[in-house]
Amino acid sequence: MKMHTRVGIVGAGPAGLVLSHLLHLEGIESIVLESHTREYVESRVRAGVLEQGTVDLLNAAGVGDRMRREGLGHGGIELRFNRRGHRIDFRDLTGGRTITVYGQQELVKDLIQARLDAGGQVLFEASDASIHGLETTTPQIRFCKDGEQNEIDCDFIGGCDGFHGVCRPSVPEGVLKVYERNYPFGWLGILASAAPSSDELIYANHERGFALQSMRSPSITRLYLQCPPDEDIAQWPDERIWEELQLRLAGDEGFHLNEGPIFQKGVTGMRSYVVEPMQYRRMFLAGDAAHIVPPTGAKGMNLAIADVRILSKALAAYYAAGDDTKLNQYSATCLRRVWRAQHFSWWMTSMLHHFEADGEFDYRRQLAELDYVTSSRAAATSLAENYVGFPIE
Ligand code: FAD
Ligand code: PHB
């Protein structure tokens, strides 16, 4: 089948779905292609922290109802080291800005529903997507669905297909410059039916490695442990996970880490990655398709949403008056925020993880940095303003 749309979007993650929704609000038609099933993308457990600017954007776009009801507003986080907790008070340090804990898959469910309610097209189980005609003014996306070959002619393509997608590799060799760094560890993440042990997130630096307590609801805890990058999850029976979490998150007297049945676990590698520019002709890369941050700064999903907000405004200016100034500035506008988040995510990662190759000196240096960040208002303000995020242009 042959189709035409203004913006063909590859990927129904946060970037692709928010882009399609924002374009709809601007009166611009789009089609979203997704290789997985709706059930799969709605149950994929990933990010959990939304910056203030992301929450404001989702509310203004009319997709924040359930997030406002079920999301958990947090006015700070705790940094734990030497078994003691130190609170970073976001509200106080940033003039009232906060974060919201709301599972990525919950947001994805809300966005899919909003697109379908508005009559939008989200084509699930679209396999073998490929990009063609990038040198022309009507690039095409070809894909297979229900055994049939399809082709969409587009004015523009939104490459929102994550790190392993097809859009970025479709750019001719030599155009994109890659900047990257890999870390010698990953995160083992679990979801457990247990009440969170603290109202706020706890980031712990421990000699045995980093640990993080987060949450999804008043009865579901999300916990992470630093582990080798290619760790076999079979090496981690539930008892071992709890034992390690109890050691690494041990705190002041009175702190008790609640345990409960573990119903999801997985290991993720960690990397920092950026391609420049985030555009080739009429194809624009957004979210993980263009950049990856280590999760310690909780920035990945927020960056993806900021990218597509900038892209939707640029496309709106183009369709309203033929003005392509903002489209031409898309990459540079996004990259400024991306590199700020890259630095912050690298910094949080370096300060909180155990680096095997490092010695006692480096551990002491980390503790000195944590002591500074938790005792100097200037240093704490820098962490807080980065964590709650900068307003989206
Ligand atoms: P994705 O969510 O990867 O979506 C891309 C979509 O494209 C997918 O649905 C995929 O199936 C689809 N796709 C891929 N290839 C094709 C193809 N060829 N054809 C059609 N469809 C295709 N970020 C935060 O902001 N805060 C956090 O707290 C946080 N914690 C994290 C914790 C973990 C353990 C992990 C792994 C990530 C975390 N992140 C966090 C990062 C965040 O999850 C990602 O940055 C976010 O998912 C990026 O969204 P995206 O839409 O760009 O990409
Ligand atoms: C999460 O809740 O999944 C989460 C929270 C903070 C992070 C990363 C992940 O830095």
Side-chain angles (χ1 to χ4, degrees):
M1 190 161 61
K2 268 240 174 229
M3 296 175 246
H4 178 268
T5 191
R6 284 181 155 183
V7 185
I9 299 173
V10 188
L17 291 166
V18 173
L19 177 59
S20 182
H21 180 72
L22 295 178
L23 290 175
H24 164 69
L25 298 180
E26 300 280 0
I28 301 166
E29 188 226 349
S30 65
I31 298 177
V32 181
L33 295 185
E34 167 59 49
S35 53
H36 288 98
T37 62
R38 179 174 178 183
E39 294 68 38
Y40 180 89
V41 299
E42 289 188 346
S43 56
R44 191 168 40 194
V45 177
R46 295 179 80 180
V49 175
L50 301 177
E51 295 176 355
Q52 173 85 58
T54 307
V55 168
D56 293 347
L57 186 157
L58 295 169
N59 280 327
V63 284
D65 288 357
R66 199 160 68 93
M67 174 186 70
R68 276 197 306 281
R69 281 199 311 275
E70 297 177 19
L72 307 166
H74 287 198
I77 55 166
E78 180 182 322
L79 297 180
R80 190 170 284 190
F81 52 99
N82 283 336
R83 294 177 70 99
R84 292 206 44 218
H86 305 259
R87 183 161 190 263
I88 305 284
D89 186 333
F90 295 158
R91 262 199 204 91
D92 173 43
L93 294 164
T94 67
R97 293 171 77 75
T98 59
I99 53 152
T100 297
V101 176
Y102 189 59
Q104 179 168 326
Q105 78 272 29
E106 301 307 320
L107 178 60
V108 163
K109 279 183 208 161
D110 298 345
L111 291 163
I112 290 173
Q113 199 56 54
R115 287 312 298 121
L116 298 180
D117 288 348
Q121 289 202 71
V122 185
L123 307 179
F124 293 99
E125 296 175 82
S127 61
D128 301 316
S130 57
I131 310 293
H132 304 268
L134 281 176
E135 316 297 330
T136 72
T137 52
T138 47
Q140 304 104 43
I141 309 173
R142 292 189 198 138
F143 64 100
C144 187
K145 184 164 164 59
D146 303 326
E148 201 186 326
Q149 271 304 125
N150 301 278
E151 184 170 299
I152 313 179
D153 287 341
C154 314
D155 296 350
F156 297 98
I157 292 177
C160 301
D161 49 352
F163 188 66
H164 302 286
V166 293
C167 291
R168 191 180 67 250
S170 306
V171 176
E173 193 116 346
V175 172
L176 302 178
K177 173 136 178 65
V178 173
Y179 300 87
E180 70 182 316
R181 165 189 279 259
N182 285 302
Y183 299 86
F185 42 75
W187 279 12
L188 189 164
I190 63 160
L191 280 171
S193 302
S197 311
S198 141
D199 289 344
E200 293 179 337
L201 273 65
I202 304 172
Y203 286 82
N205 175 318
H206 190 276
E207 295 99 311
R208 299 176 63 89
F210 170 76
L212 169 61
Q213 189 234 215
S214 181
M215 62 213 62
R216 286 296 178 268
S217 75
S219 57
I220 296 179
T221 311
R222 176 85 167 136
L223 293 145
Y224 296 97
L225 281 172
Q226 176 184 351
C227 65
D230 46 6
E231 185 71 316
D232 176 8
I233 195 79
Q235 301 302 312
W236 287 87
D238 295 3
E239 309 71 58
R240 181 176 173 209
I241 294 177
W242 287 119
E243 209 173 291
E244 197 62 34
L245 284 166
Q246 292 287 2
L247 286 172
R248 296 192 196 178
L249 285 166
D252 303 322
E253 241 174 86
F255 176 78
H256 173 76
L257 180 67
N258 298 330
E259 297 188 11
I262 296 176
F263 59 91
Q264 198 270 346
K265 47 178 148 171
V267 172
T268 332
M270 300 249 265
R271 57 155 66 87
S272 301
Y273 179 99
V274 183
V275 285
E276 294 193 7
M278 289 168 54
Q279 174 199 0
Y280 178 65
R281 306 279 174 110
R282 288 178 160 249
M283 181 168 77
F284 294 85
L285 302 174
D288 281 14
H291 41 72
I292 298 282
V293 283
T296 329
K299 289 284 165 244
M301 174 166 56
N302 293 292
L303 281 180
I305 293 173
D307 286 352
V308 297
R309 148 81 178 195
I310 291 161
L311 182 55
S312 70
K313 288 278 161 211
L315 287 165
Y318 174 83
Y319 280 111
D323 181 358
D324 61 4
T325 317
K326 285 189 174 166
L327 279 177
N328 294 332
Q329 290 166 348
Y330 168 75
S331 180
T333 307
C334 292
L335 283 168
R336 185 160 180 242
R337 168 183 290 270
V338 167
W339 278 109
R340 171 89 307 279
Q342 286 292 355
H343 171 261
F344 177 66
S345 305
W346 164 85
W347 175 68
M348 287 284 281
T349 303
S350 319
M351 180 168 66
L352 289 162
H353 288 74
H354 176 71
F355 287 74
E356 207 122 278
D358 287 355
E360 266 299 290
F361 176 88
D362 295 282
Y363 180 52
R364 293 287 170 168
R365 178 183 47 74
Q366 282 182 327
L367 294 180
E369 185 155 31
L370 283 161
D371 180 33
Y372 176 54
V373 161
T374 52
S375 58
S376 150
R377 188 171 175 91
T381 303
S382 171
L383 190 155
E385 73 166 348
N386 277 281
Y387 200 101
V388 300
F390 297 94
I392 306 172
E393 294 173 39

